[in-house]
Amino acid sequence: MSYKIIGDSSTDLNQELKEKGNFALVPLTLQIDEEEIIDDEQFDQAYMLEKVRNSKGVLKSACPSPEAFMEHFDEGDDI
């Protein structure tokens, strides 16, 4: 029997847990002005902070959709 723990990209995993492979992280979305920034493996924190610093608009964030979590439900027997 296998298991998978699914969380959003704000989940703080240490290197040992990341290497086990029993975790899936679904990215949050940040909206700065008209640009959407995805909090995934390519996330550039310095770029995002610069965009925030220069923004005159409203900053938004969104949690992942239920469908984004569901994409990982076939990766283990226990989720």
Side-chain angles (χ1 to χ4, degrees), residues 10 13 17 38 53 55-56 68:
S10 68
L13 301 174
L17 291 174
I38 308 299
R53 193 174 302 115
S55 175
K56 302 285 190 242

Side-chain angles (χ1 to χ4, degrees), residues 5-66:
I5 297 173
I6 305 170
D8 66 34
S9 57
S10 68
T11 304
D12 189 19
L13 301 174
N14 63 31
Q15 193 60 37
E16 179 184 353
L17 291 174
K18 288 177 186 178
E19 291 172 0
K20 284 187 176 187
N22 294 57
F23 296 88
L25 300 179
V26 183
L28 298 166
T29 302
L30 308 168
Q31 184 171 353
I32 304 170
D33 299 324
E34 299 302 316
E35 182 176 0
E36 284 191 348
I37 298 174
I38 308 299
D39 184 18
D40 60 8
E41 295 82 23
Q42 287 79 42
F43 179 73
D44 183 340
Q45 184 179 25
Y47 174 77
M48 186 268 308
L49 291 173
E50 184 67 25
K51 293 287 290 186
V52 168
R53 193 174 302 115
N54 294 323
S55 175
K56 302 285 190 242
V58 176
L59 308 176
K60 300 176 184 178
S61 65
C63 62
S65 69

